């Protein structure tokens, strides 16, 4: 099986680009952030705190997670319920970032991610895919952009959705999540030594997609 890892900070456009790339290559796309988001939601639903390790660990034995693919779209099933929509709620982002710093959560999700990669030609995005989950991936990409550009993109996206938010607030949120994700002790956000680093600050989506597709075609042939 051929595996492609795409890592990078929040808002770099990984998932939008990854979906298009996977479609073009005929690979399945696995969004691993959705797994951390689902655990975050499970903790919040219990009325517990996502930044309290004991709280989070106490919920893990009850968490049953699986992924389903409907027309190529990933759905996350948490204890029998499709939570794909709830994990996109704003509170799920910081909840995911909090739970993802807990080693027990990371090891809980490890086998599931590795198994998908063993069984499928897949493109997986996250923070530690190239460094921890798929260290032998045929291609590793680290997709980044400046915090200001990422906040600006998010700002425009929210205006289009009809749910605008203050730009400075978005910028602060992005910087806080970058800090949390990059400074945790286990599997912090960082490029793998052999990753191709793509800074998309000055690139549009099509340029990012075509660059990664051409890199992928070199390793697939
Ligand atoms: O990609 P995302 O925004 O859906 O990810 C949500 C959080 O989950 C992110 O802040 C960090 C964490 N995460 C992680 O630690 N490792 C991954 N492979 C994917 C996400």
């Amino acid at each position: 099986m051929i595996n492609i890892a795409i890592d990078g900070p929040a808002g770099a456009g990984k998932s939008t680009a990854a979906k298009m790339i996977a479609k073009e290559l005929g690979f399945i796309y696995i969004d691993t952030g959705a797994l951390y988001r689902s655990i975050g939601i499970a903790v919040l639903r219990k009325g517990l705190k996502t930044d309290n390790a004991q709280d989070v660990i106490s919920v893990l034995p009850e968490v049953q997670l699986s992924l389903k693919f409907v027309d190529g779209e990933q759905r996350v099933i948490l204890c029998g319920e499709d939570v794909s929509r709830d994990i996109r709620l704003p509170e799920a982002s910081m909840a995911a970032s909090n739970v993802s710093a807990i080693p027990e959560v990371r090891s809980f999700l490890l086998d599931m991610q590795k198994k998908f990669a063993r069984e499928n030609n897949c493109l997986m995005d996250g923070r530690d895919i190239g460094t921890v989950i798929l260290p032998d991936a045929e291609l590793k990409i680290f997709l980044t952009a400046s915090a200001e550009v990422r906040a600006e993109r998010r700002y425009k996206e929210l205006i289009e959705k009809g749910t605008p938010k203050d730009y400075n607030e978005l910028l602060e949120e992005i910087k806080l999540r970058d800090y949390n994700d990059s400074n945790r002790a286990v599997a912090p956000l960082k490029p793998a030594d052999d990753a191709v680093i793509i800074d998309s600050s000055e690139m549009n989506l099509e340029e990012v997609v075509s660059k990664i597709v051409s890199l992928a075609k070199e390793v697939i042939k």
Side-chain angles (χ1 to χ4, degrees), residues 8-216:
K14 299 187 298 295
S15 65
T16 315
K19 267 183 212 160
M20 294 167 68
I21 299 159
K23 200 166 178 194
E24 195 157 336
L25 299 174
F27 279 29
I28 67 164
Y29 161 54
I30 298 168
D31 161 14
T32 62
L35 304 172
Y36 294 91
R37 288 172 177 269
S38 302
I39 294 184
I41 289 284
V43 175
L44 292 176
R45 284 182 174 178
K46 285 264 167 197
L48 297 172
K49 293 197 156 168
T50 55
D51 58 358
N52 178 308
Q54 287 317 315
D55 275 11
V56 175
I57 292 166
S58 74
V59 172
L60 290 180
E62 299 163 36
V63 172
Q64 279 177 15
L65 265 185
S66 58
L67 295 181
K68 219 169 66 176
F69 294 87
V70 180
D71 297 332
E73 282 276 323
Q74 171 183 303
R75 300 274 168 80
V76 199
I77 314 297
L78 170 66
C79 302
E81 181 192 342
D82 186 337
V83 291
S84 309
R85 195 186 293 245
D86 284 9
I87 60 171
R88 299 294 152 207
L89 293 171
E91 60 268 31
S93 301
M94 199 47 82
S97 186
N98 286 339
V99 302
S100 73
I102 301 169
E104 286 81 353
V105 169
R106 305 204 72 85
S107 51
F108 181 82
L109 294 174
L110 191 79
D111 288 344
M112 182 178 180
Q113 296 171 83
K114 283 183 178 273
K115 188 165 183 276
F116 266 108
R118 262 200 315 275
E119 295 174 354
N120 300 280
N121 281 331
C122 76
L123 191 151
M124 205 176 260
D125 85 6
R127 304 293 188 283
D128 64 337
I129 308 304
T131 50
V132 177
I133 306 293
L134 306 177
D136 298 325
E138 278 73 10
L139 175 64
K140 298 177 186 176
I141 304 289
F142 192 84
L143 183 61
T144 188
S146 72
E148 287 73 17
V149 166
R150 288 182 283 135
E152 177 79 29
R153 288 178 186 158
R154 184 85 187 117
Y155 177 72
K156 288 186 179 151
E157 226 173 77
L158 290 174
I159 289 180
E160 272 171 29
K161 272 193 188 168
T163 51
K165 218 172 151 177
D166 181 60
Y167 169 81
N168 287 315
E169 215 174 293
L170 289 169
L171 182 60
E172 283 319 303
E173 263 174 37
I174 281 194
K175 285 185 174 168
L176 177 62
R177 211 135 71 86
D178 282 358
Y179 182 84
N180 283 349
D181 295 348
S182 309
N183 289 282
R184 64 181 178 224
V186 248
L189 168 67
K190 64 166 187 210
D193 292 338
D194 50 351
V196 179
I197 298 181
I198 301 178
D199 184 332
S200 75
S201 303
E202 310 273 316
M203 293 166 86
N204 63 31
L205 180 61
E206 287 69 30
E207 288 169 327
V208 171
V209 169
S210 90
K211 166 120 191 145
I212 299 177
V213 166
S214 71
L215 290 168

